[in-house]
Amino acid sequence: MATSSPSATSAREQSLHVRLMPIIDRYGVLLVVLGMILIGYALEPKVFLSFLNVSNIMNQIAFNALLALGVFIVIVTAGIDLSVGSILVLSMMTMALMAHPEKLPAWVPDGVRASLMTILPAPWYVLILVPPIVGVICGMVNGWGLTKLRLPHPFIMTLGTLNIFRGVSNLISGGVPISDLPEQVRWAGYEKIALTPDIDIPASLLVLIVVFGLMSIFLNHTRTGRHIYAIGGNPQAARVSGINVDRTLVIVYALCGLLAGMSGLLLAGRTNSGFPNAGLGQELDAISAVIIGGASFFGGRGNVLGVFAGALVIGIMRNLLNLRDVPVFWQQILIGIIIILVVYFDVLRRKAGSGREA
Amino acid sequence: MNDTSQTATPTLEARGISKYFGAVTALEEVNLKVMPGEVLGVVGDNGAGKSTLMKVLSGLHPASKGQLFVSGQAVHFHGPRDARNRGIEMVYQDLALAGNMRIDENIFLGREQLRGGIFVNHQANARKAQEHLDKLKIHVKSVSQRVEELSGGQRQAVAIARATAFDAKVVIMDEPTAALAIKEVRKVLDLIKDLKNHGVSVILISHRMDDIFYVCDRVMALFRGRNFAEAQLGQTDRNEVIGWIMGNKQQSTETSKNHDLN
Ligand SMILES: Nc1ncnc2c1ncn2[C@@H]1O[C@H](COP(=O)(O)OP(=O)(O)OP(=O)(O)O)[C@@H](O)[C@H]1O
Ligand SMILES: [Mg+2]
């Protein structure tokens, strides 16, 4: 950005270091992605960059990327949402049940069952709205809980709802998978869009691009989006500036829930079912993607592109290890190592960056 | 503008303010008023209740008892937004800036200019922020710098810029010079004089007698949450004010009696 003040063009400002830091700051994780792509290409030159494999990776990371995006905006406010995996499964199972009311568990009273049967199964255009709506409701429960009950940290509230939402999901479904969903509902998670007769991209990639794009605009260019960053930077500053911090937090957790619901829709589409173990432990992959993507647990830092890159790093690594037939246990260990290394590099970089002040 | 005669309406007046935090009494029946273009110094020992009183005036804390008046009109603040809308701005002791955000974003936090009713007009905000800083003779490399990259003095300047960006009637400053080097102290104090010359009322909390005696028109002391003494600056001296801070009023002058509010 050009400054209007003429004296501002000091030699110090022109130094490469000062101008380069913000760029590395913002896009450092993209270098990691690039590195992984090169490694992948070196190891599996035929398969890795093939169209099929790339489209595979995209399809596999899509639902984690959406979860991660939700967790990201929560982490920007210096909060945490542990319940996203449970929101995912609850929204998915609710939708599956509304498509297959005959699968309602035995404890449902006959009267209730009979009246539900008169309106269910719901048509596809209703079904497709169910996961996002369930997600928003769950997110608002989190948001209200943590602002109204004044629990000491969002960790507590969402640890509670992690259990509650999964419990409810098992309760209403009887803990059994429900498969077979309408074509239209599966579209986002399953369908491919033909660009040319030979080239098609997964619909989930399109969903990702649109959702990430909208989120980026929201965070960077709307008042509420900027207030989310301000709250993460200094909640007291936000409060004294007249920002309604509690209301903004409810919006943030509701949005996170919305994204978890959409993630459930994608996963249901991909697997053509709702299954009770969906999203189990997935919150940790989502948090990993956010942290690898450069967000800070202390809030106020990170961007949407970083989250996408973080999800990509995990996805590419899983893909590579699968291609090389590396056992799943090693994948876990490697992801752990990558998280620690990426954040460690970040610490080193910040040290170097603040060196001029020391 | 510099007229502080007793007949004019105070820009801001507090009557009988009490503030309790549970069993703790932070303020008891405190009165305060400040005239247009007047700089009021507020002194008192640590824990005397200065910051608490200012937080009541700026809408951050609701008073437990008492009434506030802005230009003679009774007001009730539900939050800092209400106070800001009435032209009362505050520079907090801890500055209350978001270090992860740009200078211009901090200056306009909560009051961003919009484009099309939805999108923040970043260009307009940056331009206005630069103009405002120029007006205050505050120099920064660029308004797009993050506040965490600034020196203590520059941060103080940004906090003051935020408090003055919207034609404030009253600017409250809670120990704005406490963390500054001498040169920067002078800058802040000159800024206060500038505000005064533009008819703005300033309430300055400071432990430094140099500050008080350089810019203030009047000084009042709180002691253990109560009004203790006050005087026009010309009718008191450093030693007396220091005495007030310690809770001494032996030299109790006529002036302080005259200015006691019923
Ligand atoms: N949020 C709070 N909860 C409980 N007690 C409080 C709170 N804020 C202030 N107090 C109490 O009110 C009294 C006045 O505090 P205040 O911060 O107003 O003092 P001060 O005059 O600004 O002191 P200093 O010069 O140290 O800044 C103190 O006894 C303090 O402990
Ligand atoms: Mg104080």
Side-chain angles (χ1 to χ4, degrees):
Chain A
M1 221 208 84
T3 155
S4 53
S5 159
S7 51
T9 37
S10 66
R12 194 163 151 226
E13 188 191 28
Q14 294 303 320
S15 92
L16 197 63
H17 177 250
V18 172
R19 275 184 299 155
L20 220 55
M21 272 329 277
I23 297 173
I24 299 177
D25 209 16
R26 280 182 88 91
Y27 305 118
V29 64
L30 290 182
L31 297 178
V32 178
V33 173
L34 202 69
M36 295 195 70
I37 291 175
L38 289 178
I39 293 173
Y41 186 68
L43 290 176
E44 298 281 343
K46 291 214 187 71
V47 194
F48 183 69
L49 283 183
S50 73
F51 208 82
L52 188 66
N53 192 48
V54 171
S55 134
N56 230 338
I57 294 176
M58 288 303 165
N59 215 357
Q60 274 161 8
I61 68 159
F63 86 101
N64 189 42
L66 283 188
L67 273 192
L69 187 60
V71 172
F72 166 67
I73 57 171
V74 168
I75 286 181
V76 168
T77 67
I80 189 76
D81 190 343
L82 296 176
S83 70
V84 287
S86 299
I87 296 179
L88 180 154
V89 74
L90 180 55
S91 57
M92 177 196 233
M93 293 314 280
T94 310
M95 175 179 72
L97 269 174
M98 287 177 70
H100 294 280
E102 72 281 1
K103 296 277 172 61
L104 280 168
W107 60 264
V108 177
D110 285 343
V112 176
R113 184 188 305 270
S115 53
L116 278 178
M117 289 305 248
T118 61
I119 49 166
L120 298 177
W124 71 267
Y125 51 84
V126 172
L127 289 179
I128 208 165
L129 294 176
V130 170
I133 291 172
V134 171
V136 167
I137 293 171
C138 291
M140 287 176 114
V141 169
N142 281 336
W144 274 324
L146 69 96
T147 55
K148 292 279 179 284
L149 302 182
R150 302 251 160 246
L151 299 178
H153 194 276
F155 188 99
I156 312 289
M157 183 67 200
T158 59
L159 181 62
T161 54
L162 171 141
N163 288 293
I164 294 170
F165 295 152
R166 189 165 289 277
V168 172
S169 162
N170 283 328
L171 194 65
I172 60 172
S173 66
V176 294
I178 300 168
S179 48
D180 198 14
L181 298 168
E183 268 303 283
Q184 298 92 332
V185 171
R186 295 189 61 197
W187 184 86
Y190 173 74
E191 215 41 75
K192 291 196 161 36
I193 303 166
L195 294 182
T196 72
D198 317 308
I199 298 181
D200 46 19
I201 60 163
S204 55
L205 179 59
L206 191 73
V207 172
L208 280 193
I209 292 170
V210 170
V211 172
F212 273 69
L214 287 176
M215 184 58 84
S216 178
I217 292 169
F218 170 70
L219 286 177
N220 292 315
H221 296 286
T222 71
R223 197 177 256 179
T224 308
R226 297 319 293 160
H227 293 176
I228 289 171
Y229 275 93
I231 289 172
N234 184 350
Q236 187 64 3
R239 203 164 284 123
V240 302
S241 302
I243 294 172
N244 189 335
V245 174
D246 282 359
R247 202 194 60 186
T248 309
L249 285 179
V250 172
I251 292 174
V252 165
Y253 284 83
L255 273 176
C256 179
L258 171 72
L259 289 163
M262 290 174 64
S263 174
L265 179 67
L266 287 197
L267 190 59
R270 202 176 96 198
T271 58
N272 193 19
S273 66
F275 54 103
N277 281 343
L280 199 62
Q282 195 62 41
E283 60 281 347
L284 297 180
D285 255 18
I287 295 170
S288 306
V290 173
I291 297 303
I292 292 173
S296 159
F297 257 123
F298 300 108
R301 245 163 272 274
N303 61 67
V304 160
L305 199 60
V307 180
F308 192 82
L312 256 183
V313 166
I314 295 179
I316 291 176
M317 196 173 57
R318 288 246 155 90
N319 177 260
L320 260 180
L321 297 172
N322 280 335
L323 288 179
R324 315 258 329 151
D325 284 327
V326 177
V328 138
F329 306 131
W330 281 106
Q331 301 190 11
Q332 264 184 319
I333 293 171
L334 275 169
I335 286 178
I337 292 174
I338 288 212
I339 292 174
I340 293 171
L341 280 186
V342 166
V343 177
Y344 178 61
F345 285 141
D346 194 61
V347 171
L348 288 184
R349 192 165 49 76
R350 273 180 211 289
K351 250 192 209 154
S354 59
R356 62 203 151 110
E357 280 163 35
Chain B
M1 276 305 185
N2 294 330
D3 177 34
T4 55
S5 77
Q6 299 299 300
T7 51
T9 322
T11 341
L12 177 63
E13 181 173 5
R15 282 190 208 150
I17 300 289
S18 298
K19 177 69 190 176
Y20 312 118
F21 294 105
V24 178
T25 300
L27 297 171
E28 187 69 49
E29 293 285 323
V30 174
N31 300 315
L32 172 152
K33 64 180 174 181
V34 59
M35 295 294 171
E38 186 187 32
V39 182
L40 170 67
V42 177
V43 297
D45 204 358
N46 292 121
K50 305 180 297 296
S51 295
T52 307
L53 178 59
M54 297 312 139
K55 285 173 184 170
V56 169
L57 298 181
S58 70
L60 189 66
H61 287 331
S64 308
K65 270 194 259 165
Q67 185 55 267
L68 296 180
F69 301 85
V70 175
S71 303
Q73 216 183 348
V75 291
H76 195 77
F77 298 148
H78 297 283
R81 179 185 294 260
D82 290 348
R84 296 187 88 188
N85 287 341
R86 291 282 187 160
I88 299 169
E89 298 276 352
M90 176 149 171
V91 179
Y92 289 83
Q93 197 164 359
D94 60 4
L95 299 187
L97 297 171
N100 61 327
M101 305 194 73
R102 298 191 308 263
I103 292 173
D104 56 332
E105 288 189 301
N106 268 283
I107 290 177
F108 292 111
L109 194 56
R111 299 174 154 183
E112 301 82 358
Q113 288 240 315
L114 295 185
R115 192 169 34 196
I118 301 174
F119 298 113
V120 175
N121 192 338
H122 290 300
Q123 287 86 353
N125 285 326
R127 198 187 59 241
K128 286 196 149 187
Q130 186 66 59
E131 284 169 9
H132 185 58
L133 290 171
D134 289 347
K135 208 173 84 190
L136 298 179
K137 302 188 192 70
I138 294 169
H139 177 68
V140 293
K141 273 195 282 181
S142 152
V143 290
S144 58
Q145 265 184 299
R146 288 184 182 185
V147 163
E148 66 199 356
E149 296 166 13
L150 302 179
S151 73
Q154 288 176 313
R155 284 179 208 201
Q156 189 71 56
V158 172
I160 292 173
R162 179 175 61 189
T164 53
F166 287 89
D167 294 328
K169 277 193 205 157
V170 184
V171 175
I172 303 169
M173 299 193 190
D174 196 348
E175 301 194 30
T177 58
L180 300 185
I182 295 170
K183 208 173 119 198
E184 286 173 325
V185 168
R186 178 52 75 93
K187 236 174 152 177
V188 168
L189 296 179
D190 285 338
L191 237 150
I192 292 174
K193 286 198 161 174
D194 241 32
L195 288 172
K196 171 192 166 68
N197 291 335
H198 284 90
V200 178
S201 307
V202 178
I203 303 178
L204 170 70
I205 299 182
S206 183
H207 288 289
R208 298 162 40 101
M209 288 305 119
D210 287 348
D211 296 1
I212 300 285
F213 281 83
Y214 182 68
V215 284
C216 293
D217 299 303
R218 192 156 54 91
V219 55
M220 69 175 259
L222 290 180
F223 186 71
R224 297 193 182 147
R226 294 169 184 272
N227 285 97
F228 189 72
E230 67 171 282
Q232 293 293 330
L233 210 74
Q235 282 149 345
T236 183
D237 56 50
R238 289 171 190 235
N239 286 338
E240 188 185 30
V241 173
I242 290 170
W244 292 349
I245 293 172
M246 324 267 245
N248 283 326
K249 213 168 18 174
Q250 291 118 341
Q251 310 167 285
S252 170
T253 55
E254 271 179 47
T255 18
S256 57
K257 257 181 249 156
N258 290 344
H259 289 275
D260 262 355
L261 303 155
N262 24 307

